[in-house]
Amino acid sequence: MRAVDAVMECLKAEGVDVVFGYPGGANLPTYDAFVDAGIRHVLVRHEAGGGHAAAGYAKATGRVGVALGTSGPGATNLVTPIMDAMMDSVPVVFITGQVRTELLGTDGFQEADILGITMPAVKHSWMIQHPLEIPRVLHEAFHVARTGRPGPVVVDIPTDLSKADIPYEPVSDVHLPGYQVTVEGNVKQIRQAAKALASSRRPVIYAGGGVILSEASAELTEFALSDRFPVTNTLNGLGGFPGTHEQFLGMLGMHGTRAANYAMDEADLICAIGARFDDRITGKLSEFAPRAKFIHIDIDPAEISKNVPAHIPIVGDAKHILVKLVNEYRALGADPARLEEWWQRIQGWKERHPLHYTDSSDTEIKPQRAIQAIYEATGGDAIVTSDVGQHQMWAAQYYNFDKPRRWINSGGLGTMGFGLPAAMGAAVGMPDEVTVCVTGDGSVQMNSQELATCVANRIPVKVFILNNGYLGMVRQWQELFWDNRYSHVDMGQSPDFVKLAEAYGATGLRLTNKETLVDDLRGAIATEGPVVVDIRVTREENVYPMIAPGAAAREMVG
Amino acid sequence: MGDPGTKELLSLEELEASGQLRTGRKHVLTILVENKPGVLTRIAGLFARRGFNIDTLTVGPTDDEHISRVTLTVDGALHPIDQVTKQLHKLINVLKIRDLEPDETVTRELALFKVAVDGTQRAEVLQLTDIFRGRIVDVTRRSIIVEITGTTDKIESFEALLRPFGMVEMMRTGEIAISRGRGET
């Protein structure tokens, strides 16, 4: 069969039910194969939209996302989604077209060295050298993307090779001698961790996105409840532990709660699970959790002791390790009364410093209130994607995620323009759920063309724009750290988002009444098809609390 | 968003000094890799983007045609070697890495020195070459090319002795290394 038909067979064998992509000269053969393949293809309006959609799909479903682009500009438009997937460990297979082999290296039309360009941004990449390799390489690509610490992979296929005639046999197993994943944690280390936990008096569980990637939320919850361990989540870990649970401290880090950050600051033992001590978590590294010993559980050995030295390292999959850790811990029969004092202290912080904002105006909609209204209107159970900025932090703070894979945002790279296409991908993957995108007037304009994709493909995402007319987070930093010298953060002339939605064939609404906000949002959610809701919010509102960059956790402001 | 200017700015002198800290023990990493296109780029790229400087790098085939060996030296004071090796391990084409202990390792480097000589100096250079067990590989009326193999120290002392004669050019390969005893490197 043609190599491109073999590509389709591989995709089907890997369980791919949808591909997000954009055709062009160099991947025309692949697009020809779509005609008969019986795989759903969503034609996006920009390759970046396709890449983020594939990531949104992967984050919502736990399956591997697939994005296609042609060579040259098609491939380079995928660079941001590739890096984004790398930073958040999202399994996505990117397949790019490449110019004919005889043109390689000649600066041929639409030639770009996409392997070279993306090398620092991928888990692994391949350029097809011979058509016979295609089935094996594709299966290797899916295997590498989904196993271990998941991540993006790139497969670059020169046009001429994709047209070749090859025999196709399903590949049953992948053999990569240089790629071994440690899944089971070391038993001795797990026992050591259990002992350390049993004797600690001020423990904190610090759980990241790795818990969600390994489908270990239930195990994490069981572990936390095996004693009264306080739990905090990273931005990417939200939903890994129920956000409404009494043992939850809220998110930690730069815009985390005081309870979470103070607990980290005073902890004597921190159990990090699938989290990587990002600078947005640690603040000033030398003053981060100065009294604590660290247990660090991660499937990627390179994460352990990268930023913070681990006293008890455990390499492996969080789910496997947590099951064993709970058993070991229960067998020790630790005395729960030893945590009484710790909980009194935590409870004190929770009561004294809840998340709060001033809602004094009768007319203005506070952005925090808008998020709470979205929480109420969706019953707290929607898939929520966000872009990057103030709205993202408010959504993280005020939407209490109780389940994993409900909170989808660009945590590591901080990509504006991620939210709408990611929602599109999530909604395609989870058609029975309500999918909303919380975005800002700045962010949404970075990929708003994907509204056309949503309309054309009947993807019913609800886009809620917290519109303050500013690049709000940058404005906040200019206010706090640059003496109110607002430089190029006033968005000035944004489009009329209602008309923009209508121009694309979607429904557009503008909400300005805080009294009817929840009902109006319910109405928007009940409206069929894609809906864009322009919510006019307070213009100059800041995200608090905050740890200034480079400061220590106990120096929180606001 | 990047961080604002809350840190103290470094002076030019401090910046310069921070670039010249090269005091630590040298580490010799020997890396077995799959013999595939782009592998060296991945290794070099990994070093570059994490700010690790490579001192020397040699690549060559092994007895298995599918596998190549990369020998790489880095300054251990500048770079957390543990982090370097863990990151290298993550590369899918990398099969095995060893951080060789200097005491248990035989290392060799090859150098070619082109020295400007006249009649009287030639004998002196020949004598030095003999003492260092080098070889003369080319002689002209005004120059001589000497080949020498050995440890980096030996090559550097030989170079220091030749330099006063007038070094026209020199080439060094970077180290290759193999562990002593029966075990595989």
Side-chain angles (χ1 to χ4, degrees):
Chain A
M1 66 173 71
R2 290 181 306 174
V4 285
D5 296 317
V7 169
M8 296 296 149
E9 291 307 314
C10 293
L11 295 182
K12 282 192 259 184
E14 291 291 346
V16 174
D17 56 7
V18 62
V19 166
F20 302 89
Y22 209 97
N27 63 8
L28 268 179
T30 312
Y31 273 84
D32 186 69
F34 271 115
V35 175
D36 308 312
I39 293 181
R40 182 177 179 194
H41 178 276
V42 174
L43 173 64
V44 295
R45 295 302 184 265
H46 188 294
E47 287 86 354
H52 293 314
Y57 170 92
K59 284 185 169 188
T61 63
R63 299 197 289 269
V64 179
V66 182
L68 297 189
T70 189
S71 65
T76 55
N77 278 343
L78 288 170
V79 172
T80 304
I82 291 169
M83 189 72 226
D84 190 273
M86 187 68 179
M87 293 289 274
D88 284 352
S89 309
V90 192
V92 183
V93 174
F94 293 88
I95 303 175
T96 51
Q98 183 55 277
V99 297
R100 299 195 307 277
T101 41
E102 71 199 46
L103 287 176
L104 279 173
T106 65
D107 301 326
F109 177 66
Q110 292 197 330
E111 183 191 359
D113 173 15
I114 197 62
L115 238 58
I117 291 169
T118 58
M119 214 164 258
V122 294
K123 190 171 169 192
H124 194 60
S125 51
W126 293 259
M127 185 200 263
I128 299 295
Q129 311 276 333
H130 193 282
L132 284 176
E133 300 176 342
I134 287 177
R136 177 180 57 75
V137 165
L138 276 172
H139 288 298
E140 285 176 0
F142 276 88
H143 176 72
V144 169
R146 78 156 72 85
T147 53
R149 178 180 183 170
V153 298
V154 169
V155 181
D156 196 28
I157 312 181
T159 330
D160 51 332
L161 305 188
S162 69
K163 287 192 283 193
D165 200 26
I166 60 165
Y168 173 72
E169 271 179 52
V171 177
S172 52
D173 62 329
V174 169
H175 179 64
L176 289 166
Y179 180 67
Q180 269 121 23
V181 179
T182 307
V183 175
E184 304 289 337
N186 179 298
V187 180
K188 271 189 196 162
Q189 288 168 336
I190 293 173
R191 195 163 297 153
Q192 225 183 332
K195 276 187 192 155
L197 284 158
S199 61
S200 73
R201 299 190 155 266
R202 297 189 306 278
V204 178
I205 297 174
Y206 149 52
V211 169
I212 293 168
L213 292 168
S214 89
E215 307 287 355
S217 297
E219 289 75 9
L220 171 67
T221 308
E222 202 187 333
F223 168 50
L225 301 189
S226 67
D227 208 334
R228 277 181 78 203
F229 292 130
V231 182
T232 178
N233 275 146
T234 65
L235 178 69
N236 273 345
L238 291 174
F241 186 77
T244 51
H245 198 283
E246 56 171 14
Q247 275 169 244
F248 189 54
L249 305 178
M251 180 173 76
L252 82 164
M254 184 174 275
H255 292 297
T257 63
R258 280 181 191 259
N261 284 321
Y262 288 176
M264 292 292 280
D265 187 55
E266 292 193 9
D268 64 353
L269 182 70
I270 288 169
C271 181
I273 310 170
R276 60 189 172 87
F277 296 91
D278 179 79
D279 59 275
R280 288 301 193 256
I281 296 299
T282 63
K284 190 175 186 180
L285 205 52
S286 58
E287 290 179 35
F288 173 67
R291 298 153 189 87
K293 287 203 181 315
F294 294 96
I295 299 167
H296 194 176
I297 300 171
D298 206 295
I299 198 155
D300 180 357
E303 282 306 330
I304 291 180
S305 298
K306 185 179 80 177
N307 298 330
V308 169
H311 299 86
I312 306 174
I314 309 175
V315 176
D317 178 69
K319 195 183 180 89
H320 286 79
I321 292 167
L322 283 169
V323 169
K324 290 184 196 158
L325 186 56
V326 170
N327 289 337
E328 292 285 346
Y329 190 76
R330 290 224 167 99
L332 292 173
D335 175 17
R338 78 191 192 289
L339 302 181
E340 195 48 49
E341 214 181 297
W342 184 222
W343 268 108
Q344 276 175 15
R345 196 145 174 74
I346 290 171
Q347 219 54 54
W349 291 323
K350 276 189 165 187
E351 279 157 25
R352 274 198 306 282
H353 310 290
L355 287 171
H356 71 283
Y357 60 94
T358 318
D359 196 3
S360 54
S361 162
D362 290 338
T363 50
E364 264 189 344
I365 300 176
K366 287 280 179 170
Q368 299 92 330
R369 174 76 196 112
I371 301 289
Q372 286 174 325
I374 294 168
Y375 180 72
E376 280 177 54
T378 55
D381 198 31
I383 294 175
V384 180
T385 75
S386 90
D387 263 295
V388 172
Q390 288 184 315
H391 67 271
Q392 175 192 29
M393 289 301 128
W394 284 316
Q397 289 176 334
Y398 288 93
Y399 198 103
N400 303 309
F401 295 93
D402 273 332
K403 289 193 228 164
R405 302 198 180 280
R406 297 274 146 162
W407 168 237
I408 292 168
N409 81 121
S410 170
L413 193 63
T415 308
M416 289 173 74
F418 174 86
L420 170 57
M424 192 167 87
V428 166
M430 304 292 276
D432 298 333
E433 309 289 340
V434 172
T435 302
V436 308
C437 165
V438 176
T439 183
D441 48 316
S443 281
V444 76
Q445 292 186 61
M446 281 216 188
N447 267 322
S448 54
Q449 78 286 346
E450 296 310 328
L451 277 173
T453 312
C454 294
V455 172
N457 293 277
R458 300 170 201 274
I459 303 168
V461 297
K462 314 300 173 199
V463 182
F464 298 147
I465 305 172
L466 303 194
N467 186 349
N468 59 8
Y470 273 128
L471 296 175
M473 190 60 98
V474 187
R475 186 206 55 74
Q476 174 170 340
W477 283 46
Q478 288 177 349
E479 178 192 321
L480 298 177
F481 308 118
W482 297 90
D483 299 331
N484 290 302
R485 287 156 59 92
Y486 290 174
S487 173
H488 302 277
V489 286
D490 190 332
M491 286 302 277
Q493 193 59 48
S494 278
D496 178 330
F497 290 114
V498 174
K499 284 187 181 161
L500 182 78
E502 287 166 355
Y504 279 118
T507 307
L509 299 165
R510 177 163 298 113
L511 304 186
T512 50
N513 184 347
K514 76 183 260 191
E515 298 303 326
T516 60
L517 189 57
V518 177
D519 284 338
D520 292 344
L521 287 169
R522 279 202 184 104
I525 291 162
T527 304
E528 218 174 294
V531 181
V532 177
V533 184
D534 181 17
I535 309 172
R536 294 296 171 90
V537 297
T538 311
R539 233 168 111 66
E540 296 195 2
E541 181 74 16
N542 288 343
V543 183
Y544 286 123
M546 180 178 195
I547 304 174
R554 59 182 173 280
E555 298 162 4
M556 293 197 85
V557 291
Chain B
M1 289 172 60
D3 293 345
T6 48
K7 271 190 189 167
E8 290 288 305
L9 289 178
L10 287 178
S11 71
L12 276 178
E13 289 75 25
E14 283 169 316
L15 272 176
E16 222 163 73
S18 70
Q20 286 170 352
L21 290 170
R22 295 175 65 82
T23 51
R25 162 165 113 74
K26 186 179 73 176
H27 280 259
V28 179
L29 302 178
T30 138
I31 310 165
L32 284 181
V33 300
E34 290 182 277
N35 182 9
K36 285 187 175 168
V39 175
L40 195 59
T41 313
R42 283 180 211 272
I43 292 175
L46 185 150
F47 274 77
R49 82 172 185 277
R50 297 194 180 260
F52 304 143
N53 190 43
I54 300 173
D55 286 344
T56 71
L57 175 69
T58 60
V59 192
T62 63
D63 50 338
D64 180 341
E65 60 173 337
H66 302 294
I67 295 174
S68 298
R69 183 185 298 281
V70 176
T71 310
L72 195 150
T73 60
V74 286
D75 187 318
L78 276 180
H79 313 305
I81 291 300
D82 184 51
Q83 184 57 212
V84 173
T85 50
K86 280 173 171 177
Q87 293 295 345
L88 282 170
H89 262 300
K90 283 170 72 171
L91 298 178
I92 282 159
N93 302 127
V94 168
L95 303 173
K96 192 177 161 190
I97 304 169
R98 279 195 63 187
D99 176 11
L100 293 174
E101 283 299 322
D103 298 352
E104 293 159 18
T105 310
V106 177
T107 63
R108 285 294 179 272
E109 201 179 332
L110 168 68
L112 294 171
F113 297 118
K114 186 185 285 179
V115 189
V117 285
D118 57 25
T120 55
Q121 292 170 327
R122 186 174 292 135
E124 225 176 311
V125 170
L126 285 173
Q127 210 179 2
L128 281 173
T129 304
D130 195 37
I131 293 167
F132 276 80
R133 295 192 198 131
R135 282 204 320 148
I136 307 295
V137 290
D138 184 61
V139 182
T140 65
R141 236 161 32 84
R142 319 251 327 246
S143 73
I144 194 163
I145 300 177
V146 190
E147 169 199 304
I148 181 166
T149 57
T151 61
T152 302
D153 281 355
K154 175 180 163 184
I155 286 168
E156 279 169 2
S157 4
F158 187 51
E159 181 206 325
L161 289 167
L162 288 187
R163 201 166 273 288
F165 293 96
M167 187 71 79
V168 181
E169 250 183 319
M170 56 178 275
M171 312 271 166
R172 289 172 56 174
T173 58
E175 283 179 281
I176 54 168
I178 195 163
S179 61
R180 294 179 197 276
R182 279 197 65 180
E184 275 181 51
T185 300

